[in-house]
Amino acid sequence: MALAFLLILLSPGAIAQKFGISASAGMGSQGMDDLKYLQKYILDTYPVEGRITSSFPPFTNVSLNLVKEWYDHIYIGGGYSFSTTGGKSSYSDKTGSISTEISAASHRLGAFLSYIILGGERLDLSLYGRLDFNLSSVSIESAINVLGYINRIYNQYRSISPSATAGLELMYKFSGFSMGLEAAYLVDFAGNLTNVESKDDLNDPYDLNRILTSDWTGWYAGIKTQIWFNF
């Protein structure tokens, strides 16, 4: 579906009048229940009582898209979105330290359709839906430092999953460009995490029949800019 949208987007349809580029940046929440669960498990394996200093706070998100007017009040487009978050745990005293850092990144490529539900001379309120192909990358690094001796363990995992987004955007129109706000809810059909090198699944340490997943499901809000080119 994403490929079909991009082909339509790049086609020279006679009805379309405007073609543009949009960029957005903002913050969002996410599920990440399995990674939070894994973070707590790793902390419990510390030989001393450590603490979680960060547990997957609201992520940063940026997006770059091509946009085309398909019909009056209907726009289609496609492009790339990137999100990142993570968690940290640690312990330290005079003899050394233990730390664990889990970093998660989402690379999404997909297509969207937007419909103006309230339009005016300067202000447009639109409803939009989006489908994405989501590649998640998760790295887990633990380090132990005892009296100057350092041992590090690093593993990287990936997952592939589809995701769907529905939201609203409010755009103020200037001459040749628009600026505004967008808010949406993303549903990530969480993908199983697999080790990049060994190809082994990341299993639940208490239930080896269950594979842990990444999950970017949550709310998102940000600012958006569109630059228009008339043909």
Side-chain angles (χ1 to χ4, degrees):
M1 178 176 288
L3 178 60
F5 265 102
L6 288 175
L7 289 174
I8 294 172
L9 179 66
L10 297 174
S11 67
I15 297 175
Q17 297 178 345
K18 290 194 297 186
F19 179 86
I21 299 174
S22 70
S24 64
M27 300 288 290
S29 63
Q30 74 287 311
M32 295 298 182
D33 290 341
D34 278 357
L35 291 182
K36 292 175 183 178
Y37 166 83
L38 181 63
Q39 182 185 36
K40 188 176 184 305
Y41 168 80
I42 295 174
L43 183 68
D44 290 341
T45 66
Y46 283 13
V48 290
E49 186 176 351
R51 65 189 182 95
I52 293 175
T53 56
S54 175
S55 185
F56 302 91
F59 62 73
T60 57
N61 182 84
V62 293
S63 180
L64 184 65
N65 295 280
L66 300 177
V67 188
K68 185 176 183 180
E69 183 182 34
W70 195 16
Y71 291 98
D72 189 26
H73 288 78
I74 299 178
Y75 294 84
I76 60 172
Y80 169 76
S81 299
F82 174 77
S83 305
T84 183
T85 186
K88 295 181 180 180
S89 307
S90 64
Y91 169 85
S92 64
D93 60 24
K94 294 181 179 180
T95 61
S97 64
I98 304 174
S99 65
T100 301
E101 183 171 350
I102 303 176
S103 300
S106 168
H107 305 268
R108 300 186 300 279
L109 184 66
F112 68 87
L113 185 147
S114 176
Y115 179 76
I116 299 175
I117 54 178
L118 289 175
E121 183 178 349
R122 286 294 183 184
L123 208 59
D124 285 340
L125 178 64
S126 301
L127 175 67
Y128 72 91
R130 182 181 181 110
L131 296 176
D132 283 288
F133 169 87
N134 182 17
L135 173 62
S136 294
S137 176
V138 175
S139 63
I140 304 174
E141 182 176 10
S142 294
I144 301 176
N145 183 346
V146 179
L147 299 176
Y149 172 77
I150 301 176
N151 182 41
R152 296 182 183 274
I153 301 174
Y154 178 85
N155 285 285
Q156 188 171 11
Y157 300 86
R158 286 179 183 163
S159 70
I160 297 174
S161 62
S163 64
T165 305
L168 293 169
E169 61 181 22
L170 182 65
M171 302 296 292
Y172 189 86
K173 295 177 288 187
F174 298 90
S175 177
F177 72 100
S178 305
M179 290 188 67
L181 303 172
E182 62 178 355
Y185 188 76
L186 182 149
V187 177
D188 182 21
F189 299 92
N192 293 336
L193 288 164
T194 303
N195 190 286
V196 172
E197 293 185 359
S198 68
K199 308 304 179 185
D200 293 331
D201 294 326
L202 180 58
N203 297 105
D204 184 334
Y206 293 116
D207 180 4
L208 297 180
N209 293 317
R210 189 176 82 89
I211 303 173
L212 300 184
T213 66
S214 59
D215 185 4
W216 296 88
T217 298
W219 292 97
Y220 161 78
I223 57 175
K224 184 174 184 178
T225 301
Q226 294 181 157
I227 300 175
W228 296 107
F229 308 98
N230 293 317
F231 293 94

